[in-house]
Amino acid sequence: MSDNILEVCNLKVNIEDKEILHGIDLNIGKGETHVLMGPNGAGKSTLGYALMGSPRYTITEGKIVFNGEEIQGLSADKIAKKGMFLSFQNPIEVPGITLFNFIRSSVEQRTGQRVKFFEFRDQMNKAMQVLDMDPAYAQRDLNVGFSGGEKKKAEILQLLMLRPSFAILDETDSGLDVDAVRTVSKGIEEYNKTIGGALLIITHSTKILESLDVDKTHVLVSGRIVAGAGSELVDEINKNGFEKYIKAEQA
């Protein structure tokens, strides 16, 4: 049996009639942390949404194997129940449902079991403490009036409570100040320590990676993965940027 939690083979993805991803191959082992970097418009978020089954993205070729099962073509809710999680780059506001009730309902849907109110409340309070979140946010409508940093913390709170086996974090650090990045990183560390799931971190910045052990780094340019190496590739990109990869793809 494969030690990979995710295997992506020759994945091609369209938005309407335009092909955005041109044959992606990607293997992520159980418990590993992978980083996906690349210039704007490279297709990084498209890959995340395609893996998660977003109906906006059409898989025209290739396959996605998650925990030994092909999942391309499944709806996002079914993929989530199987243990995959996607954080949003720009979390939306949802008036009328509190953060507490949203996460509680999501956990019940994920596990198929009823959640005991007081036990769940205590677990959520502990997770909020890790993220330096005011407990009062639990009773506020989901993301309504939240700052950018609080929205990102709410995403990581969902990660800790849902306990997925594989999480895709899409630009979780974008728009955050240094302190907020540090707090979000602390939440990701907690996920690694207590849950031990695999991670695919999509990012432009590398500050969020400073406290994490990165197993592999991938560079995506114009819908193709053009380079892959260990954590040393992050340092090389920090120093030199993506120019050489863009030029090589255009040649």
Side-chain angles (χ1 to χ4, degrees), residues 109-127:
Q109 290 294 317
R110 161 97 166 87
T111 62
Q113 299 177 348
R114 294 289 294 171
V115 173
K116 294 181 180 179
F117 179 88
F118 293 107
E119 182 179 322
F120 184 79
R121 183 194 62 185
D122 291 343
Q123 291 173 351
M124 186 159 161
N125 284 339
K126 289 179 182 178

Side-chain angles (χ1 to χ4, degrees), residues 29-215:
K30 295 174 182 177
E32 291 184 347
T33 296
H34 287 227
V35 176
L36 183 66
M37 305 183 75
N40 288 331
K44 301 185 298 297
S45 293
T46 295
L47 177 58
Y49 282 113
L51 293 175
M52 198 69 215
S54 170
R56 186 187 174 200
Y57 302 86
T58 302
I59 296 174
T60 60
E61 193 172 326
K63 65 180 181 179
I64 303 168
V65 179
F66 178 55
N67 272 329
E69 179 183 355
E70 288 194 28
I71 61 168
Q72 70 274 8
L74 294 184
S75 59
D77 63 311
K78 291 180 179 177
I79 293 173
K81 287 177 182 178
K82 292 180 182 297
M84 190 181 294
F85 174 92
L86 171 66
S87 73
F88 293 103
Q89 187 173 343
N90 297 299
I92 62 172
E93 297 183 0
V94 184
I97 180 169
T98 65
L99 176 62
F100 179 89
N101 286 337
F102 174 78
I103 295 179
R104 185 184 178 196
S105 176
S106 298
V107 170
E108 289 180 341
Q109 290 294 317
R110 161 97 166 87
T111 62
Q113 299 177 348
R114 294 289 294 171
V115 173
K116 294 181 180 179
F117 179 88
F118 293 107
E119 182 179 322
F120 184 79
R121 183 194 62 185
D122 291 343
Q123 291 173 351
M124 186 159 161
N125 284 339
K126 289 179 182 178
M128 293 181 84
Q129 288 176 6
V130 171
L131 296 168
D132 294 328
M133 289 187 74
D134 185 340
Y137 275 84
Q139 299 308 319
R140 291 178 59 175
D141 286 358
L142 179 61
N143 293 327
V144 175
F146 286 24
S147 68
E150 295 298 344
K151 287 181 179 180
K152 297 302 178 73
K153 288 182 183 181
E155 293 280 290
I156 301 302
L157 178 63
Q158 294 169 49
L159 172 70
L160 294 177
M161 297 303 296
L162 285 165
R163 302 177 64 86
S165 56
F166 175 59
I168 306 162
L169 305 183
D170 186 9
E171 302 285 358
T172 301
D173 51 349
S174 66
L176 301 185
D177 61 28
V178 173
D179 290 334
V181 169
R182 188 176 297 115
T183 300
V184 167
S185 296
K186 186 178 177 183
I188 298 172
E189 284 185 83
E190 183 72 10
Y191 169 77
N192 277 336
K193 181 175 68 175
T194 61
I195 300 167
L199 286 165
L200 177 62
I201 300 176
I202 301 171
T203 184
H204 283 289
S205 169
T206 57
K207 291 186 180 299
I208 198 170
L209 306 175
E210 291 176 358
S211 59
L212 302 176
D213 293 325
V214 175
D215 293 288

